[in-house]
Amino acid sequence: MNPTKILYSDEEIYVINKPAGLAVQGGKGITHSLDIDFAKEVGKKVYLVHRLDKETCGLMIVAKNPLAAKKWTKLISSKQVKKEYFAICAGHLKQKKGSITEDLEQHGKEKSAVTYYQVDKEWTVDYSDGETSTETINMTNIRLQLETGRMHQIRIHLSKQNCPIAGDDIHGNFKLNKKLKKVLKIKNLMLCSKKLSLPLNNEIKTFEIPLPPHMDFESYYLDK
């Protein structure tokens, strides 16, 4: 695995850019994980304060010691840390801006879940089966923020709106993903933790990263 990019470091935390395909926490059957690989890179143990799905890329906070981990876990829970995600989806949403408030089942219990979204771009791609059939696939670029942080919340909420994230074979549309893999070469989950705002030195500091190469489809929608 390539070294994890560090965007910021102080005595308490790192702000890093996690690549897609890297699990955050090690476990059975996991060869590479952020908590182990990144610790080796920096030469000391690190502490997780929040998580991203394995296939989700982008910005994360990692603590340098247990006391900092406790502090930053509380800051994230108190909503003082703002996270903005960017998703490329197969489908269109009925409204360009709004919230999704459908409860989600987590560990056998119904939990409240709120996702705010803003449509960034709508575009289309044409899929051909190589014979006579041609299909137009609606695509949408969406910016999202979480009010709650349930497992797979963004993925499930968008799927329930018939606008699943491209490349999501767990909560999305497997058949449609096969078509998108052929026409757009999509092999990863199209979800990125793109923007992160957090309180540092008595002010709010914002970090933002460009989309990774596997999510850069500007040429398909630039003139739509």
Side-chain angles (χ1 to χ4, degrees), residues 5-223:
K5 184 175 181 179
I6 300 172
L7 283 78
Y8 174 83
S9 175
D10 62 19
E11 67 277 4
E12 293 185 342
I13 61 168
Y14 297 102
V15 176
I16 63 169
N17 185 359
K18 185 189 86 68
L22 178 64
V24 169
Q25 192 167 28
K28 186 177 180 180
I30 298 176
T31 304
H32 292 281
S33 64
L34 178 70
D35 60 341
I36 295 174
D37 290 18
F38 186 57
K40 291 178 180 178
E41 291 174 27
V42 298
K44 60 181 180 181
K45 186 176 180 179
V46 296
Y47 300 81
L48 301 174
V49 296
H50 66 123
R51 287 165 170 74
L52 292 177
D53 294 342
K54 178 181 178 180
E55 296 305 327
T56 302
C57 61
L59 296 170
M60 280 190 67
I61 299 169
V62 181
K64 294 185 176 183
N65 57 67
L67 190 62
K70 184 177 180 180
K71 171 186 172 180
W72 283 93
T73 299
K74 286 184 178 179
L75 285 171
I76 291 171
S77 299
S78 69
K79 309 298 188 298
Q80 292 188 60
V81 174
K82 304 293 184 183
K83 295 173 283 184
E84 183 179 287
Y85 295 81
F86 185 93
I88 299 176
C89 300
H92 286 167
L93 292 169
K94 293 180 181 179
Q95 304 293 329
K96 306 299 184 189
K97 182 179 181 179
S99 61
I100 306 169
T101 59
E102 189 167 353
D103 291 353
L104 301 179
E105 184 177 332
Q106 305 273 272
H107 307 296
K109 296 181 179 180
E110 288 290 317
K111 300 280 189 177
S112 63
V114 181
T115 304
Y116 300 104
Y117 69 87
Q118 168 80 55
V119 171
D120 195 31
K121 295 281 185 180
E122 291 181 339
W123 45 296
T124 60
V125 292
D126 293 328
Y127 168 78
S128 174
D129 62 6
E131 298 176 356
T132 58
S133 177
T134 299
E135 176 185 351
T136 297
I137 302 174
N138 292 325
M139 304 292 293
T140 306
N141 292 2
I142 308 174
R143 296 181 183 272
L144 307 110
Q145 290 185 330
L146 298 178
E147 174 70 24
T148 55
R150 309 304 180 194
M151 185 183 297
H152 295 184
Q153 179 175 317
I154 291 175
R155 298 166 66 176
I156 298 172
H157 266 175
L158 288 174
S159 182
K160 287 179 176 292
Q161 299 299 309
N162 295 315
C163 192
I165 298 175
D168 188 349
D169 284 338
I170 297 177
H171 302 289
N173 186 322
F174 183 78
K175 182 182 286 189
L176 190 55
N177 284 337
K178 289 183 67 175
K179 297 175 182 178
L180 293 175
K181 184 175 182 179
K182 180 178 179 181
V183 70
L184 293 178
K185 311 303 180 188
I186 288 177
K187 300 178 182 178
N188 300 89
L189 179 73
M190 297 289 102
L191 180 63
C192 176
S193 173
K194 193 176 189 300
K195 190 174 180 179
L196 185 65
S197 299
L198 57 158
L200 291 170
N201 302 318
N202 299 315
E203 65 178 5
I204 300 299
K205 187 171 180 62
T206 298
F207 301 89
E208 186 166 9
I209 56 172
L211 290 175
H214 72 272
M215 290 184 67
D216 185 8
F217 294 110
E218 185 174 356
S219 60
Y220 283 93
Y221 64 79
L222 187 61
D223 58 353

